[in-house]
Amino acid sequence: MCGIVGYVGRPGKTTGDHGALDVVLEGLRRLEYRGYDSAGVAVLGESGVESRKKAGKLVNLINELEANPLPESLTGIGHTRWATHGGPSDNNAHPHLADGGKLAMIHNGIIENFADLRQELLAAGYSFASETDTEVAAVLLGDIYAHAGGRDLATSMQLACQRLEGAFTLLAVHEDQPGVVVAARRNSPLVVGLGEGENFLGSDVSGFIDFTRRAVELGQDQIVTITPDHHAITDFYGNPAEGTEFHVDWDAAAAEKGGFDSFMEKEIFDQPAAVADTLLGRYDVDGRMTLDELRIDASDLAGISKIIVLACGTSAYAGSVAKYAIEHWCRIPVEVELSHEFRYRDPILDAGTLIVSISQSGETMDTLMAVRYAKEQGAKTLSICNTNGSTIPRESDAVLYTHAGPEIAVASTKAFLAQITATYVLGLYLAQLRGNLFSGQIKDILADLQDIPAKIQDVLDRADVIKELARSMPDATSVLFLGRHVGYPVAMEGALKLKEIAYIHAEGFAAGELKHGPIALIDDGQPVFVVVPSPRGRHSLHSKVVSNIQEVRARGAKTLVIAEAGDEAVRDYAEFVFHVPETPTLLMPLLATVPLQLFACELASVKGFDVDQPRNLAKSVTVE
Ligand code: M6R
């Protein structure tokens, strides 16, 4: 939540055609998916700090800058906001100014003790122009700078951070110190980008991906000062610290729409590659899993007695799919828990528990806090994550990266399929370590997995059929989704997609639960998607789900069926059938989810909504 950019360049070295402002605006354009309630920038010009900010999307700020330009500068900061304290107004937009307008600050996170600090600063004679916790931090920093901080921005930031509680990334500039941006982080994301004669800060690497692919990840409770030629890291008490440099292995083009109408649609079409890349290099030619990248000892992993998956939203549905596969292949009990519920229920954890956190961003605060709690209780932690340099993998004992590439649309699509793939990789590896599956079986499952990208492509090649269905339902006000076994989390995910981007009431149910209550919702014309399991296979629930279709249809539902190729039994009971290619049941979510994603994406577009930036949401949820 909230995107943050900082930049300093040397004269003649700056990448932006017109200096800091260009770089900062480009960074904000790429980070806008993190929040779009308002946007603002501040630059250090010859006449000191100058700032512009506007409620609403970045385009409003750009219009404001055209009407009211900023001077050329080599030092700048920029912010795109997801509102927490104070509504989305011009006043509450960042940057916030302090020290008589000489200091500008931007912030991501929540300062939990802001009310006490605000009282203290009011009593000291300060006043506030906004309702935000950020302005309190800015005024505090300004006060410290003018008094205890010795008019040094980095020292003052250290002293200010010692007084702040909660989660924050703070960036500040002061007109006394041109060519310097000072930043601090606790529990909120911040990455440094290294250039030649210029340096960058971003909430994530997309904030500077157009300019450099050399990045430095920071630790918890650290302060970084960037100048055009240096970056220096300390803790909150001024002790020097080291960051970890890494290379960003995707380029700026990966974060462009590439001819699609929306990032979401493009990302749906990226899915064959996301799955293939997540499998790549994780098994050898003999079909043995090779996860040398894991930092947990193979013997420790072989001995685990329980897995708890921690995640939120779509990532939690990936965990629910994983439960079926890992329990089946490894015979290890798997619990799936929403991160925000986990640490409030006194969970039973020990050294035999493996926590598997799943997070696209690696910054979801609920999941981060749950992982920290589990570590404190002695559990081993493994993170499945799509974002290099992010906090959750850095704080986990081991990490298995998904290789979906940058996911920009707020609604997660390709990350979901890549997460499921990564959990399969993990499950097969654990089965191999524990001797639960014969190597021939692992090899067969891997062969099926390798076929998945082409099968997803087959679904995508028939996207128009799904789009047409969506276009025929512009007035739908409620859509239900039913599934069983691994089809159940697919149904939940289908419903979540529709809710979040098309603002249509949608619920996913386990089809067997229908008769225990939800069937009362069925009325004439109620659209119901049904994810039908394969008619093949030992434990086929096929006939039971076909009965469920008939039950809702008998009560007037419009039945929209996702079934396996060759399953003609469903035709008699369906208004609409979409066949996905044959695949083993456990792998079916990688195919059956895709039409539901396409449906939501198209219906949201038909309704005229901003598919990539749905209302009230942000991509990376860095508040609890
Ligand atoms: O970055 P994470 O995977 O931790 O994010 C978790 C959820 O916030 C995320 O999946 C959210 O539900 C998406 N908007 C779903 O499309």
Side-chain angles (χ1 to χ4, degrees):
M1 316 213 136
C2 300
I4 277 187
V5 189
Y7 175 78
V8 276
R10 193 152 29 95
K13 269 289 183 187
T14 181
T15 314
D17 290 342
H18 303 101
L21 188 60
D22 273 3
V23 178
V24 167
L25 286 177
E26 184 56 26
L28 290 185
R29 184 179 73 80
R30 291 199 179 274
L31 288 175
E32 199 182 10
Y33 70 89
R34 300 181 69 92
Y36 28 85
D37 286 332
S38 64
V41 288
V43 295
L44 281 184
E46 295 211 328
S47 51
V49 171
E50 285 209 49
S51 139
R52 302 283 182 272
K53 52 191 195 173
K54 253 346 213 181
K57 295 194 174 180
L58 183 59
V59 64
N60 295 357
L61 173 68
I62 290 171
N63 292 339
E64 167 67 13
L65 284 163
E66 268 166 25
N68 209 349
L70 281 172
E72 289 204 3
S73 166
L74 294 170
T75 307
I77 56 177
H79 187 265
T80 174
R81 177 170 189 243
W82 187 82
T84 57
H85 293 59
S89 64
D90 288 357
N91 260 1
N92 290 332
H94 303 205
H96 291 284
L97 303 184
D99 198 15
K102 290 185 269 180
L103 181 152
M105 176 183 273
I106 54 178
H107 166 221
N108 171 27
I110 290 180
I111 293 165
E112 284 168 4
N113 59 337
F114 90 101
D116 291 346
L117 291 170
R118 189 179 162 106
Q119 284 311 321
E120 183 184 317
L121 291 162
L122 283 169
Y126 289 103
S127 59
F128 294 90
S130 78
E131 304 150 85
T132 64
D133 50 347
T134 309
E135 192 183 10
V136 173
V139 172
L140 176 71
L141 181 66
D143 179 70
I144 291 173
Y145 182 87
H147 301 108
R151 308 200 79 79
D152 176 74
L153 197 54
T155 310
S156 303
M157 186 66 98
Q158 290 161 23
L159 295 171
C161 288
Q162 289 169 27
R163 304 232 29 225
L164 300 179
E165 291 166 17
F168 48 86
T169 300
L170 300 168
L171 262 64
V173 291
H174 196 289
E175 71 172 44
D176 295 352
Q177 296 189 255
V180 176
V181 180
V182 175
R185 79 164 289 254
R186 166 181 286 167
N187 293 334
S188 286
L190 180 66
V191 207
V192 183
L194 303 178
E196 298 288 328
E198 56 182 355
N199 283 315
F200 309 81
L201 294 164
S203 296
D204 62 47
V205 297
S206 7
F208 47 74
I209 190 65
D210 290 275
F211 311 111
T212 182
R213 290 162 75 178
R214 282 177 65 209
V216 176
E217 65 178 52
L218 299 173
Q220 175 70 340
D221 284 7
Q222 290 189 335
I223 288 179
V224 60
T225 303
I226 59 165
T227 63
D229 297 303
H230 295 104
H231 73 280
I233 305 172
T234 69
D235 65 14
F236 285 179
Y237 295 88
N239 302 305
E242 288 289 316
T244 311
E245 190 171 334
F246 64 98
H247 178 78
V248 184
D249 58 7
W250 49 270
D251 61 22
E256 296 291 349
K257 286 186 196 160
F260 288 92
D261 287 342
S262 65
F263 278 110
M264 181 178 177
E265 190 181 8
K266 184 241 181 197
E267 288 160 7
I268 292 172
F269 278 78
D270 280 347
Q271 292 182 117
V275 170
D277 291 349
T278 300
L279 286 173
L280 203 68
R282 285 170 165 162
Y283 52 87
D284 64 19
V285 283
D286 303 320
R288 279 190 65 76
M289 304 306 296
T290 51
L291 286 191
D292 305 336
E293 64 207 89
L294 286 189
R295 301 181 299 235
I296 302 182
D297 248 24
S299 59
D300 284 346
L301 277 179
I304 58 169
S305 53
K306 178 169 77 172
I307 292 176
I308 302 180
V309 177
L310 298 176
C312 303
T314 289
S315 300
Y317 298 142
S320 299
V321 172
K323 175 180 168 71
Y324 290 90
I326 296 178
E327 287 191 340
H328 181 70
W329 291 333
C330 309
R331 311 309 300 149
I332 305 172
V334 180
E335 295 169 20
V336 184
E337 182 129 10
L338 293 170
S339 313
H340 37 88
E341 289 295 315
F342 172 70
R343 63 195 172 113
Y344 300 106
R345 66 159 177 93
D346 199 11
I348 301 164
L349 305 170
D350 58 28
T353 309
L354 177 68
I355 295 291
V356 177
S357 67
I358 306 181
S359 175
Q360 187 287 129
S361 61
E363 299 292 349
T364 298
M365 183 63 78
D366 291 320
T367 304
L368 173 62
M369 290 303 169
V371 168
R372 282 190 187 156
Y373 175 84
K375 270 188 98 168
E376 281 160 23
Q377 306 298 309
K380 294 178 194 64
T381 54
L382 185 150
S383 145
I384 291 179
C385 183
N386 197 43
T387 311
N388 215 310
S390 60
T391 308
I392 297 171
R394 203 185 48 250
E395 295 198 13
S396 299
D397 298 316
V399 56
L400 193 57
Y401 280 109
T402 47
H403 296 298
E407 191 179 67
I408 308 295
V410 165
S412 185
T413 54
K414 62 177 177 175
F416 180 62
L417 263 55
Q419 288 165 343
I420 294 173
T421 307
T423 66
Y424 292 160
V425 165
L426 177 66
L428 293 175
Y429 181 62
L430 291 175
Q432 176 177 291
L433 289 180
R434 296 161 61 90
N436 299 104
L437 289 178
F438 295 116
S439 54
Q441 291 174 289
I442 294 179
K443 204 171 173 174
D444 289 348
I445 298 167
L446 277 173
D448 288 326
L449 269 171
Q450 285 162 51
D451 289 342
I452 290 287
K455 291 180 178 177
I456 298 174
Q457 191 57 53
D458 173 84
V459 173
L460 294 172
D461 290 345
R462 292 179 285 126
D464 280 348
V465 178
I466 295 289
K467 289 185 179 183
E468 204 180 308
L469 173 71
R471 287 195 289 267
S472 73
M473 298 170 56
D475 301 323
T477 52
S478 164
V479 180
L480 304 183
F481 293 75
L482 305 180
R484 281 184 105 129
H485 191 259
V486 287
Y488 173 35
V490 171
M492 304 281 279
E493 172 62 4
L496 178 60
K497 289 290 88 86
L498 203 57
K499 282 184 248 203
E500 64 179 337
I501 59 167
Y503 317 144
I504 290 176
H505 169 257
E507 293 296 329
F509 296 110
E513 190 65 9
L514 208 60
K515 57 191 176 294
H516 298 287
I519 201 164
L521 290 170
I522 307 294
D523 206 350
D524 253 2
Q526 167 69 54
V528 181
F529 269 101
V530 189
V531 180
V532 180
S534 166
R536 303 167 298 117
R538 208 155 40 100
H539 301 294
S540 175
L541 284 166
H542 180 263
S543 52
K544 291 202 168 54
V545 176
V546 172
S547 300
N548 296 143
I549 303 175
Q550 293 176 64
E551 286 156 16
V552 291
R553 197 161 191 251
R555 287 158 178 85
K558 174 177 177 175
T559 50
L560 314 168
V561 169
I562 310 295
E564 190 176 79
D567 182 355
E568 295 303 323
V570 292
R571 283 222 188 267
D572 289 345
Y573 316 110
E575 317 296 322
F576 170 89
V577 181
F578 188 87
H579 282 125
V580 296
E582 269 190 20
T583 200
T585 298
L586 285 172
L587 310 191
M588 178 273 272
L590 294 173
L591 304 179
T593 307
V594 180
L596 304 183
Q597 297 168 335
L598 287 164
F599 177 79
C601 185
E602 186 64 15
L603 191 46
S605 311
V606 167
K607 290 171 81 76
F609 296 139
D610 184 335
V611 170
D612 291 330
Q613 298 183 340
R615 68 186 181 201
N616 304 339
L617 295 176
K619 180 73 180 160
S620 179
V621 185
T622 53
V623 294
E624 271 188 281

